[in-house]
Amino acid sequence: MSKISPTPVSVLTPLPVTSWARASTQVTTPATSTTGTAGMDITKFVVSHREKALLYGGYSTYHTSLSKKILNCRKKLNIATKKRGTFHPRNQVTAEQVAEDHVYIHLQLLTAERTWADAMAVKAAHSVETKGIGGKTRSHIVSRLEKGARTAEQLAEVLTQTASGASSVDILEARAYAALLRGAALFEKQHWEPCLKSYSVARIIYSALSTSAKNDIFKDLLSETIDPSIRYAAYQAQIPRTQPIAEIALKYFQHAGPELAAHIEKQNPAILQHTDADAKQGTGGAPATLTWRGREVKIEDAAIAIAWAAVGAEKAKLADQLSSAGSLAPRELAGAYDDILVASQDAVDATKQAIDELKSEGVPQSDSRMQSLQITRTAVNYEMISWRIGRNRALIGQDDGARLDFGAPSKKKKKQEQEQEQAEEALEQKGRDLTPGRQIAKLKEKVVLYDGILQSVESIKELPGVANDQELSAQLEATSQYFTALKCLAISRSHAIAGNTVNALALVKHALDQCTAALPALSGSDDGKPAPRNIQVTNQHAGLLRDILGGELQRSRALVEIHSLNKSASASQTAGAGKPLSSQLFNYPTGGVDLNNIVTYPPRLEPIPVKPLFLDVAWNYIEYPAKQQQQQQQQQQQQRPAAAVQDKSKGTEKEPEPEAKPQKRGWFGFGR
């Protein structure tokens, strides 16, 4: 088996900021003195200080802040060395001092944390080097971690004494913290067997505390720090991957001794038999095989087997919950899917991690293990996406939103309606009705959910091996067409509410075409039992949608026809505004008859067409016999001598003025 350069996951990777933030608000500062038998909260104290420092700086900043806090603790306890004073070796903390003041515990914890921060700062500075961490640097890191482990172990030894007044939980937390630092030191020294023993102690203790105290900090320590370190150390120790982490921890915990086991049994008596719920599934009911599309593959990774068993358990739990709950609101129904989504996501993460580990080992894609993991990856991803689609379908409502239903009113509105039950029924009904704007907003929410479902279906098509399965590809295409039809139906209803009837008709027609195309590829039918919704769409769902779309299509056509008639009627009314009915007898009065405007009275003088008018242009260019005689007579009249008029003063004669020429007229007597 090929070796991988060790990466101290347990000590280099800090805890998630969210988990530290939950703990930081509940921990007192080291300057606050607490006495008596109150809980010491060792784990919360350590985690909160790491969060505060690492959130705004690195390990060097954390180291500097710890030095200041240690000095403040020593000043509070009057054991600080004064300026220019002689240094005296400090005595070890006793149980009586711890019982007197809990600041002694804080002092020990801060001292151990400072050595851990120093080691992490050195490692982070050299982790970017291509050659890796050298021998001297690694020795320095190991020495600092061992010093911190010794300090934590001394504190745990003091707390086990009766005079300290520590409770069983305090002793367990101190032992777990000491084992965590000891495991980190052994991890850096690459001593895998002792490292597994130390980390196993920490895992068993934190598992017991997480089940009894219900604290997320312990769960985060297990998932983010301890479990990855155990898995890596087990790999280096040639332990097969098929063995669960819980079994490994239980195996290496045997050396811890009966005293520690007695403290653990006080918190959870069954923890040493099954470790936790995951171990119970891994040892007893974890499946050994996985079947996908008629092909059975062996589950070789224990983490995948445990996660897949958890998916099956959550599936049965969801079915029981839905069958016993009766009718639930869409949001409450969708909330029931949270657990199975988390379980399926864990299965996906475990499969991806197993594939990455094989790739890092250089295993080719043609290897049987890699082929089995690829099939497993497709199966678990399909399962996760299927439940994600089921959750969206639950949010949409009954019948996948095919029926026009805007959902039940909120709790606040229900309370208001109950208060108004004594009021009039009409006012109450008016208050429950939604305005068109709110109706369109509800439909937009459904469209967003449909888009999410369609994206999920497209992501399934991209999984390995799906494209080669023709039957599955046809079912996915039909499912996509089914939800596309629902999306178009929701958008068409919003257009109908807004008054865009033509757009609504086009969308309904497209939705009906999509549903009709999807119906032959969908198979199966409901057995009548209430089952959780997932990606599976049956013939009954598509048939119901087709019937609804058929009715919506006829309704949309009627609305478009009514809209067209109203539009033409309004146009004709606008064009004939003011005209009496007698002048519009050729138009049907769709908007009604105005009986006050039947005829125009008193009648007005108006021109009416009687006969056509012709302009006699040919008269000027055609020679007619009558026309020649008339022209000759006119010439003779012009040549007659005019009577000479003698001007007595000048002795001149005035010629007579020529007569006016008659104008030419056309055939019909009209002038030109």
Side-chain angles (χ1 to χ4, degrees):
M1 184 180 295
S2 60
K3 297 293 183 179
I4 303 176
S5 57
T7 303
V9 181
S10 60
V11 292
L12 182 58
T13 305
L15 287 175
V17 175
T18 55
S19 63
W20 292 350
R22 289 192 295 266
S24 60
T25 59
Q26 304 175 4
V27 182
T28 57
T29 58
T32 304
S33 176
T34 56
T35 59
T37 60
M40 300 175 184
D41 292 335
I42 294 175
T43 306
K44 290 183 180 180
F45 180 86
V46 173
V47 169
S48 63
H49 280 75
R50 288 188 185 182
E51 182 269 339
K52 291 178 182 178
L54 297 179
L55 185 62
Y56 302 104
Y59 296 106
S60 300
T61 305
Y62 187 33
H63 181 270
T64 304
S65 64
L66 288 172
S67 299
K68 296 179 180 179
K69 292 177 181 179
I70 290 173
L71 180 59
N72 292 334
C73 288
R74 288 174 178 169
K75 288 181 178 179
K76 187 173 183 60
L77 297 172
N78 297 323
I79 58 175
T81 302
K82 298 181 180 180
K83 292 184 178 180
R84 298 180 182 179
T86 304
F87 175 78
H88 298 283
R90 299 181 180 86
N91 298 325
Q92 293 184 358
V93 177
T94 61
E96 290 75 11
Q97 291 175 334
V98 170
E100 181 182 355
D101 198 339
H102 286 178
V103 179
Y104 284 100
I105 300 176
H106 298 163
L107 179 61
Q108 294 294 99
L109 293 175
L110 293 174
T111 303
E113 277 293 289
R114 184 172 64 173
T115 59
W116 177 85
D118 188 12
M120 291 301 100
V122 174
K123 182 164 186 174
H126 291 80
S127 61
V128 296
E129 297 180 358
T130 57
K131 296 182 180 180
I133 300 176
K136 293 183 178 180
T137 304
R138 186 173 297 278
S139 299
H140 175 71
I141 294 172
V142 170
S143 65
R144 302 307 297 168
L145 290 174
E146 286 186 343
K147 182 178 180 181
R150 287 195 300 270
T151 304
E153 288 170 354
Q154 291 174 2
L155 176 61
E157 187 65 26
V158 170
L159 293 180
T160 55
Q161 301 178 15
T162 308
S164 64
S167 63
S168 178
V169 175
D170 299 332
I171 296 173
L172 288 176
E173 289 191 23
R175 289 292 301 271
Y177 178 66
L180 198 62
L181 292 183
R182 178 60 64 184
L186 295 171
F187 195 102
E188 293 298 331
K189 294 172 69 174
Q190 301 183 13
H191 294 173
W192 306 118
E193 292 288 338
C195 176
L196 285 172
K197 293 180 181 179
S198 297
Y199 276 128
S200 297
V201 172
R203 191 185 193 281
I204 295 294
I205 293 175
Y206 285 135
S207 297
L209 294 176
S210 64
T211 55
S212 60
K214 304 295 182 182
N215 199 326
D216 292 336
I217 296 179
F218 303 124
K219 296 180 181 179
D220 292 335
L221 280 170
L222 290 171
S223 60
E224 301 290 338
T225 304
I226 299 175
D227 286 353
S229 301
I230 292 178
R231 176 56 66 190
Y232 185 84
Y235 168 75
Q236 295 293 346
Q238 306 295 325
I239 297 176
R241 236 187 235 104
T242 56
Q243 189 171 0
I245 294 177
E247 289 185 3
I248 297 174
L250 188 61
K251 174 184 176 182
Y252 284 94
F253 181 77
Q254 304 300 331
H255 77 286
E259 183 179 355
L260 181 60
H263 288 290
I264 293 175
E265 289 178 353
K266 291 181 181 179
Q267 304 300 321
N268 191 345
I271 201 69
L272 295 179
Q273 284 76 24
H274 302 290
T275 305
D276 52 19
D278 292 341
K280 190 180 298 183
Q281 294 176 356
T283 56
T289 59
L290 183 146
T291 304
W292 164 251
R293 303 292 298 174
R295 184 172 180 178
E296 187 176 7
V297 295
K298 184 179 180 181
I299 303 178
E300 299 181 354
D301 195 290
I304 300 176
I306 294 173
W308 190 245
V311 171
E314 292 297 337
K315 187 188 302 185
K317 178 181 176 182
L318 177 62
D320 295 339
Q321 183 177 357
L322 295 182
S323 61
S324 60
S327 60
L328 294 175
R331 294 189 179 275
E332 296 176 354
L333 185 61
Y337 285 78
D338 292 341
D339 293 338
I340 193 170
L341 284 174
V342 172
S344 57
Q345 183 64 53
D346 292 341
V348 171
D349 296 340
T351 306
K352 184 179 181 301
Q353 183 179 0
I355 293 175
D356 293 340
E357 289 177 357
L358 288 182
K359 286 182 179 179
S360 63
E361 296 176 14
V363 177
Q365 292 290 337
S366 58
D367 189 86
S368 60
R369 294 176 297 170
M370 186 65 75
Q371 293 292 330
S372 299
L373 284 176
Q374 291 294 349
I375 297 174
T376 305
R377 175 191 175 190
T378 302
V380 296
N381 277 278
Y382 180 87
E383 189 74 13
M384 180 194 67
I385 297 173
S386 175
W387 292 117
R388 188 188 302 167
I389 292 174
R391 184 179 185 274
N392 286 350
R393 292 178 68 182
L395 282 173
I396 291 171
Q398 190 177 6
D399 298 328
D400 296 326
R403 303 183 187 276
L404 187 59
D405 183 15
F406 297 106
S410 61
K411 293 182 179 179
K412 185 177 180 180
K413 292 184 178 179
K414 285 182 179 179
K415 185 177 180 180
Q416 292 177 356
E417 289 180 2
Q418 291 176 359
E419 293 176 354
Q420 296 177 356
E421 283 182 355
Q422 299 178 356
E424 296 181 1
E425 183 177 359
L427 294 176
E428 185 178 340
Q429 181 66 27
K430 184 178 179 180
R432 284 198 300 264
D433 291 339
L434 292 176
T435 61
R438 290 293 301 164
Q439 293 178 4
I440 294 176
K442 292 285 187 181
L443 291 171
K444 285 183 178 179
E445 293 177 0
K446 290 186 178 181
V447 171
V448 172
L449 293 173
Y450 290 137
D451 285 334
I453 292 175
L454 292 174
Q455 291 177 5
S456 299
V457 174
E458 291 298 324
S459 63
I460 291 178
K461 295 179 181 180
E462 299 175 358
L463 293 176
V466 174
N468 297 329
D469 193 337
Q470 296 182 358
E471 182 181 356
L472 180 60
S473 299
Q475 291 180 1
L476 292 175
E477 184 64 25
T479 303
S480 180
Q481 291 174 343
Y482 171 77
F483 286 107
T484 302
L486 287 169
K487 176 183 174 182
C488 293
L489 177 60
I491 298 175
S492 70
R493 284 170 173 169
S494 64
H495 278 284
I497 293 173
N500 302 326
T501 56
V502 178
N503 295 343
L505 175 60
L507 287 167
V508 169
K509 182 62 172 63
H510 179 67
L512 182 59
D513 294 341
Q514 292 288 318
C515 182
T516 305
L519 192 59
L522 298 175
S523 60
S525 60
D526 294 335
D527 54 0
K529 298 180 181 179
R533 300 183 193 178
N534 51 18
I535 195 176
Q536 188 69 28
V537 179
T538 62
N539 281 330
Q540 293 183 358
H541 298 144
L544 175 63
L545 178 60
R546 182 185 59 182
D547 296 340
I548 293 175
L549 287 173
E552 288 290 335
L553 181 63
Q554 300 302 325
R555 176 177 175 273
S556 299
R557 286 174 177 171
L559 289 176
V560 170
E561 186 66 23
I562 294 172
H563 177 73
S564 300
L565 292 175
N566 291 335
K567 186 176 180 181
S568 60
S570 61
S572 62
Q573 289 177 2
T574 303
K579 292 184 179 181
L581 180 63
S582 60
S583 62
Q584 303 183 53
L585 296 178
F586 50 86
N587 292 331
Y588 181 78
T590 57
V593 177
D594 186 7
L595 299 178
N596 295 325
N597 191 15
I598 299 177
V599 295
T600 302
Y601 186 84
R604 294 177 297 181
L605 183 61
E606 296 178 354
I608 59 174
V610 177
K611 62 181 179 179
L613 301 179
F614 296 95
L615 297 177
D616 190 3
V617 182
W619 177 265
N620 298 329
Y621 301 97
I622 301 176
E623 298 295 338
Y624 294 98
K627 183 179 180 181
Q628 293 179 359
Q629 294 177 3
Q630 187 178 1
Q631 289 179 355
Q632 290 177 1
Q633 292 176 2
Q634 291 178 358
Q635 289 178 2
Q636 290 176 3
Q637 291 177 2
Q638 291 177 3
Q639 292 176 1
R640 291 177 183 177
V645 179
Q646 299 290 336
D647 191 352
K648 297 180 180 181
S649 62
K650 294 182 180 180
T652 60
E653 296 180 358
K654 184 180 294 186
E655 297 180 356
E657 295 180 0
E659 295 180 1
K661 298 179 180 180
Q663 296 181 357
K664 298 179 180 180
R665 295 179 179 275
W667 289 347
F668 298 101
F670 293 97
R672 293 177 295 174

